[in-house]
Amino acid sequence: MLKHKFIMSEKLGRNVGIHVAALDYYTNIKRKIINPKIMDAHDYVDTASRSLIDELTKAYNRHFMDEEFKKLFSAAKHSGKGFSLIMLDLDHFKLYNDLNGHIQGDLALIETVRILHAVCSPDDTVARYGGEEFAILLPSQPLNLALKTAENIRSAIYDYRFVNEYQLPNGRLTASLGVTTYRDSLATSVAMIEEADAALYQAKNAGRNQVKAFLTSSNE
C-alpha cells in the first residue's frame, strides 16, 4: 500500500494521502471494490453496532441472538458442554400498550431490558426476540441454575413498578418464562428454541407470572 502511494505521488508530482492511495489500489489495481467510500471509524463502529443491537431497548437483536445461539449449540455438540435458554414474554402487554400508549409501552420494554441486564451475568446474552418477547442465553448453566436465574428475573419484573400497571389484571405487569437446557439428543438449535417456547406457553396457560421448564424423562 505504501509502495503504491509513493508511485502515485511520483507520477502526480505531489504527495498523495494514504486514503486516496488505498482507494485507488483496491479499485484500479486489485479491482476488489466497485464503489469505494471512506468512512470515519466512529461511523463504522456505530453502523456495526446497529447491526447487532435492538435500536429501542439496546438489547441484542434477534439476528445476533440466532448467530450466538448456533455457535453455542455447535460447541455443545462437539464438546458436550451444556448451556440453557430462557424465553420470556411480558404478560398482557398488548393491553398495557392499549391502555397507556406505545410510548409508555416502549419505556416498559426498555425498563425490562435494564432489569434483565441487572439480574443476568455479563456472560449471558440478553436479546429482544420480537415485540415483547426476549431470549436469554446462559452459557454453562445447567437446568437447575437456569431455573433460579429465570425465577430471579420473574421476581424482579414483578417487584418493579411500571407506570399505570395497576390497570392490568392483578394490577402488575408481569412476565412468563420458559426454560430448557442443551441435551445430546437435540438434533438442531431450532428444536431447543421450540422446547423453550413450549415451556413458555405452559407458563402462560398455567396463569402467567411464572416459570416453567421443558422436562423430559432425563431431567424430570
Side-chain angles (χ1 to χ4, degrees):
M1 193 68 67
L2 287 173
K3 180 180 178 181
H4 188 64
K5 165 182 157 57
F6 294 142
I7 292 173
M8 286 187 68
S9 298
E10 184 177 343
K11 288 182 177 180
L12 295 173
R14 61 179 175 81
N15 183 40
V16 174
I18 190 66
H19 287 158
V20 174
L23 290 177
D24 185 74
Y25 182 78
Y26 283 111
T27 304
N28 298 316
I29 306 300
K30 287 294 186 179
R31 300 189 183 278
K32 296 283 188 181
I33 303 174
I34 299 175
N35 296 306
K37 178 183 179 182
I38 296 175
M39 179 180 288
D40 182 86
H42 294 293
D43 291 337
Y44 173 79
V45 171
D46 186 52
T47 301
S49 176
R50 285 199 300 271
S51 70
L52 305 176
I53 303 296
D54 176 64
E55 187 173 351
L56 174 65
T57 64
K58 308 309 177 188
Y60 286 114
N61 59 27
R62 180 167 179 170
H63 174 73
F64 178 86
M65 183 269 175
D66 285 341
E67 292 302 311
E68 194 69 13
F69 185 55
K70 289 175 184 176
K71 291 177 186 176
L72 276 177
F73 192 88
S74 178
K77 277 290 183 188
H78 287 90
S79 68
K81 184 179 179 182
F83 68 99
S84 292
L85 169 67
I86 299 172
M87 297 298 288
L88 177 155
D89 190 76
L90 292 175
D91 300 323
H92 301 296
F93 190 74
K94 183 181 184 302
L95 177 59
Y96 185 85
N97 255 339
D98 292 342
L99 291 171
N100 297 291
H102 288 286
I103 292 177
Q104 192 55 56
D106 286 349
L107 290 175
L109 293 174
I110 293 169
E111 291 303 313
T112 297
V113 169
R114 289 176 179 169
I115 293 170
L116 293 177
H117 283 148
V119 174
C120 297
S121 78
D123 293 332
D124 301 333
T125 298
V126 174
R128 186 181 182 192
Y129 204 66
E132 66 272 21
E133 189 173 16
F134 298 88
I136 304 102
L137 290 173
L138 308 169
S140 304
Q141 283 202 23
L143 184 61
N144 62 325
L145 293 182
L147 285 170
K148 289 180 181 178
T149 299
E151 177 56 30
N152 289 339
I153 291 170
R154 185 210 62 79
S155 178
I157 291 175
Y158 180 82
D159 290 340
Y160 189 84
R161 294 297 181 267
F162 293 92
V163 173
N164 292 332
E165 64 179 358
Y166 64 87
Q167 300 180 78
L168 294 176
N170 301 318
R172 294 287 182 86
L173 180 59
T174 59
S176 298
L177 302 92
V179 186
T180 193
T181 194
Y182 173 83
R183 303 181 311 283
D184 289 337
S185 58
L186 283 165
T188 65
S189 58
V190 173
M192 189 168 170
I193 293 175
E194 290 174 347
E195 287 188 354
D197 269 333
L200 168 61
Y201 285 110
Q202 288 177 19
K204 289 281 191 183
N205 293 333
R208 299 182 172 88
N209 186 33
Q210 53 189 283
V211 175
K212 291 290 185 180
F214 184 89
L215 297 177
T216 68
S217 57
S218 62
N219 61 20
E220 287 184 40

